[in-house]
Amino acid sequence: MDEAPNNRTSLVKGAKDIAKEAKRHASKNFNKAVDRASDEYSAQRSYNRFHNEDEDNYNAYNQPDGQYGDNAANDEDGASSDATEGHDDEDEIYEGEYQGVPASNNEKPRDGQVALGLKSLKSQKELENERQADEEELAQQYELIMQECGHGRFQWQLFFVLGLALMSDGVEVFVVGFVLPSAETDMCVPNSGAGWLGSIVYLGMMFGAFFWGGLSDKVGRKQCLLISMSVNGFFAFLSSFVQGYSMFLLCRMVSGFGIGGAVPIVFSYFAEVLAREKRGEHLSWLCMFWMIGGIYASAMAWAIIPHYGWSFSMGSAYQFHSWRVFVVVCALPCVSAVVALTFMPESPRFFLEAGKHDEAWMVLKHIHDTNMRARGEPERVFTVNRIKIPKQLDELVEMQNESANPVLKVLCKIKAELRGIWLTFMRCFSYPVKENTMKLAAVWFTLSFGFYGLSVWFPDVIKHLQADEYASRVKIHHNERIEDFTFNFTLENQIHRNGVFMNDRFLNMKFKAVTFIDSSFINCYFEDVSSVGSSFRNCTFVDSFFYNTDVDDAKLTNSRVINSSFHHNKTGCQMTFDDDYSAYWVYFVNFLGTLAVLPGNIVSALLMDKIGRLSMLGGSMVLSGISCFFLWFGTSESMMIFMLCLYNGLSISAWNSLDVVTTELYPTDRRGTGFGFCNAICKLAAVLGNLIFGSLVGITKAIPILLASAVLVGGGLVGLRLPDTRSNVLM
């Protein structure tokens, strides 16, 4: 009777032992297959150095008692498949392919998280040293992975998407110079307020570059770029409809804050999906989109702004002139970039830096499969299964309980993100990148000060040259007497002194740059008259009638009005581009100056990896400084335009080289922050150049040009002392 229960107990115990052994055996088969696939791949790629220590850990884990060490032959026979099997058209995952294998780390905690007990035994400095070693190892392995993924369709898709974002930055810069004269005239901005539009936009871009660049190191490249571009597009579109100058400044400042993140994020994002031998050339090709943005803005300004007929109004309170249409059109590249960016994945290098091994593997597999299908080799399988990721150092985060106020939760999260951005920024001034950060900041400042200082205010230089020529052709009339005459045509570029106008009619006509001095108007009738750049000084109006004119107290300087009346006067500042040759000419000159960048872009892209980043950076800045110096000797419009085109063509190589060097000098965990800081310095220099050059351009052209030449040459010499990054892998 007692044997039956004992037998049943023995059977149950035996069944459990068999199940346990079968489970261990299956686990051994799976890991053996993964290790064998890794060994096969290491024959082609040098990945085995990243896996050796992990194989020992896995063997120790799978043979805890030493009982199954004799089953190697059986394991070989029982292995169901290797890591190269199991892909069909739908990319389904089969047995033996990657199914969440733990990342290659020394510690058991997954995704590189540092165990609590380990942290208590090691100092923070030791953990940082271990993370540094992990990053160096990851950089080498990641370079091999990108070589396996190849360069193909995926990189070109991302190239054009990020190119649209970079194009939007170029458009934003040129919009400032093109809209500035029209917006300030349309909104009746006094001379004391002129120039603030250019400065406020660059201030927004300065803060945006630092904020979005730092945030991209915390939450990801794609997400930050999407948000920043959306902010830019929305407020750029809104700015075209607001009527007050203060609101227009606010919208353009927030729009600049959004687009400020484009440059640091775009170059960081694209560099992280390029192999070393492709990086310099293709980052230089990407720079071409900034030039395309400038060409687009110049062409649209040339085609739209001078057409005063492209406007409508709702009474005198709401005016929508052609320059506002131009602002709307310039927001289209940004909108296109936002839409296209939603279909692109996050940077796999950022995922690895954040400890997200599985997400990074899936993106890398997507890159590999996309390129292989484009090559006509869909059967090639992505054989990487384990990637080294750095240890994740714990950060102190202020926590809120579930019942806390949602507003407090949001504020707490914002505070934590800002603190993280600041800490990452401070790491840009620690070893080993401290000295490089200082040198990069100096080069960015000098190059930007010279380039933006000349380019943004260059339309004013052209306008002053044209104004001098225009003034030389002025017609002066003395002591004229005109009676019973009807003026129904445009009077332009004239000065009337001591004239007498009796019983005259001024109907549906324009005064353009006409000045009346010490003249008398007796029993005259003015109807539908516009006066652009015209004034009446020390004049007398007797028994005169004004209807629907823009003649007001501001244009009647020290004049007397006797028994005269004004009815239905035009309000606001009057704009006209009819037959305005200078407006067309300014936009066309900028179009030529931007187009002159094309040869420099092509040369820099082809020679970036051949002659080196630093040689191109220093040489380009020195040569552009010399060409800028010769602008001083330009005495005609044609000479100035030629020298401007030469300057732009030479300086673009410096910009391309500087973008590449900045991207490659910073490690991944602070690449966006470092690039954002340098770009913020760039925009600060643009603001200073805007203000300094703008205050001097009407007085003398010698000081701005000599100043720009000096800082460019000095910056080029500093750039030559930067470390060469041509052979660097992305840390």
Side-chain angles (χ1 to χ4, degrees), residues 533-544:
S534 302
S535 63
F536 300 85
R537 302 177 187 174
N538 301 319
C539 295
T540 302
F541 295 86
V542 180
D543 296 328
S544 297

Side-chain angles (χ1 to χ4, degrees), residues 243-254:
Q243 294 296 301
Y245 190 60
S246 59
M247 283 300 299
F248 183 75
L249 285 178
L250 177 62
C251 288
R252 295 312 301 185
M253 182 182 69
V254 180

Side-chain angles (χ1 to χ4, degrees), residues 548-689:
N548 194 30
T549 70
D550 62 354
V551 178
D552 54 16
D553 293 339
K555 297 180 180 180
L556 300 176
T557 306
N558 297 326
S559 297
R560 295 182 301 163
V561 179
I562 303 173
N563 197 26
S564 301
S565 58
F566 295 81
H567 298 274
H568 200 270
N569 264 24
K570 297 179 180 180
T571 59
C573 299
Q574 303 301 312
M575 298 179 61
T576 176
F577 287 98
D578 294 350
D579 301 322
D580 194 345
Y581 174 75
S582 63
Y584 282 98
W585 186 242
V586 167
Y587 304 137
F588 180 66
V589 167
N590 278 275
F591 178 82
L592 290 178
T594 310
L595 193 62
V597 171
L598 180 61
N601 258 313
I602 296 175
V603 170
S604 64
L606 295 177
L607 300 181
M608 184 68 69
D609 291 319
K610 292 182 173 60
I611 68 175
R613 285 86 157 124
L614 301 185
S615 299
M616 185 170 292
L617 172 62
S620 176
M621 290 188 69
V622 171
L623 290 176
S624 60
I626 295 174
S627 68
C628 175
F629 172 77
F630 283 104
L631 285 171
W632 187 23
F633 301 102
T635 56
S636 63
E637 289 183 44
S638 58
M639 182 64 177
M640 292 288 290
I641 293 170
F642 171 76
M643 296 306 299
L644 172 72
C645 293
L646 179 62
Y647 166 72
N648 285 349
L650 291 173
S651 64
I652 191 61
S653 298
W655 283 110
N656 295 358
S657 305
L658 190 56
D659 290 331
V660 175
V661 170
T662 307
T663 303
E664 295 176 335
L665 274 180
Y666 285 104
T668 303
D669 63 341
R670 67 198 94 164
R671 181 172 297 121
T673 304
F675 207 130
F677 167 70
C678 292
N679 203 249
I681 293 295
C682 167
K683 296 307 184 289
L684 175 62
V687 172
L688 296 177

Side-chain angles (χ1 to χ4, degrees), residues 86-126:
H87 282 272
D88 60 2
D89 294 337
E90 288 76 26
D91 288 334
E92 295 180 353
I93 297 179
Y94 286 91
E95 180 183 9
E97 197 186 357
Y98 177 84
Q99 300 181 27
V101 178
S104 175
N105 280 317
N106 296 331
E107 288 75 32
K108 295 302 179 189
R110 188 174 176 180
D111 290 344
Q113 296 178 349
V114 181
L116 189 61
L118 181 62
K119 186 174 181 180
S120 64
L121 298 176
K122 295 183 178 181
S123 66
Q124 186 72 10
K125 185 65 176 178
E126 291 174 335

Side-chain angles (χ1 to χ4, degrees), residues 632 692-693 696 700-708:
W632 187 23
I692 294 174
F693 284 37
L696 296 174
T700 175
K701 64 181 180 180
I703 296 178
I705 291 175
L706 290 174
L707 183 60

Side-chain angles (χ1 to χ4, degrees), residues 109-395:
R110 188 174 176 180
D111 290 344
Q113 296 178 349
V114 181
L116 189 61
L118 181 62
K119 186 174 181 180
S120 64
L121 298 176
K122 295 183 178 181
S123 66
Q124 186 72 10
K125 185 65 176 178
E126 291 174 335
L127 292 177
E128 291 178 355
N129 291 338
E130 290 183 9
R131 178 181 172 85
Q132 179 67 24
D134 289 344
E135 288 177 345
E136 294 175 358
E137 191 172 335
L138 170 60
Q140 299 295 332
Q141 186 185 12
Y142 191 79
E143 178 64 28
L144 295 175
I145 294 174
M146 292 313 303
Q147 290 177 10
E148 181 188 353
C149 291
H151 188 92
R153 176 179 293 175
F154 176 85
Q155 280 82 2
W156 286 112
Q157 289 173 347
L158 187 62
F159 173 80
F160 286 106
V161 172
L162 297 180
L164 286 173
L166 197 60
M167 177 181 172
S168 301
D169 182 83
V171 169
E172 187 77 15
V173 169
F174 282 89
V175 164
V176 175
F178 295 149
V179 167
L180 190 60
S182 303
E184 291 175 344
T185 301
D186 187 20
M187 298 179 181
C188 305
V189 179
N191 292 333
S192 59
W196 272 107
L197 176 58
S199 301
I200 206 73
V201 170
Y202 284 116
L203 285 174
M205 296 175 76
M206 178 181 70
F207 289 108
F210 180 78
F211 176 78
W212 296 114
L215 194 63
S216 69
D217 286 333
K218 307 297 293 182
V219 302
R221 318 299 192 205
K222 174 187 172 180
Q223 185 174 353
C224 278
L225 188 58
L226 267 175
I227 298 174
S228 66
M229 297 298 294
S230 299
V231 170
N232 170 250
F234 176 78
F235 282 94
F237 183 78
L238 183 63
S239 68
S240 66
F241 294 95
V242 298
Q243 294 296 301
Y245 190 60
S246 59
M247 283 300 299
F248 183 75
L249 285 178
L250 177 62
C251 288
R252 295 312 301 185
M253 182 182 69
V254 180
S255 173
F257 177 79
I259 199 62
V263 172
I265 299 177
V266 161
F267 284 99
S268 300
Y269 194 172
F270 194 50
E272 290 168 359
V273 296
L274 294 173
R276 177 172 53 195
E277 64 270 12
K278 298 287 186 180
R279 199 161 54 234
E281 177 183 353
H282 287 272
L283 285 176
S284 298
W285 289 123
L286 184 64
C287 295
M288 189 175 293
F289 279 94
W290 198 92
M291 174 206 69
I292 295 174
I295 293 176
Y296 176 81
S298 302
M300 292 300 101
W302 187 22
I304 295 175
I305 294 181
H307 293 278
Y308 184 66
W310 291 20
S311 62
F312 65 89
S313 62
M314 297 180 184
S316 60
Y318 188 85
Q319 304 287 332
F320 196 91
H321 292 133
S322 57
W323 67 268
R324 297 181 182 272
V325 179
F326 167 70
V327 172
V328 173
V329 172
C330 285
L332 296 180
C334 178
V335 176
S336 303
V338 170
V339 173
L341 193 61
T342 57
F343 297 97
M344 303 307 297
E346 180 58 83
S347 164
R349 190 66 175 84
F350 168 78
F351 274 147
L352 291 172
E353 198 68 29
K356 299 180 179 180
H357 178 273
D358 294 356
E359 292 87 342
W361 187 91
M362 293 300 294
V363 175
L364 289 169
K365 179 181 180 299
H366 170 69
I367 297 174
H368 175 274
D369 293 348
T370 300
N371 290 340
M372 292 305 108
R373 283 194 295 267
R375 291 182 183 180
E377 302 176 2
E379 69 281 358
R380 294 189 61 176
V381 178
F382 184 55
T383 56
V384 178
N385 48 56
R386 284 176 289 173
I387 308 173
K388 186 75 175 180
I389 59 175
K391 291 180 174 61
Q392 303 302 298
L393 303 180
D394 293 339
E395 295 182 358

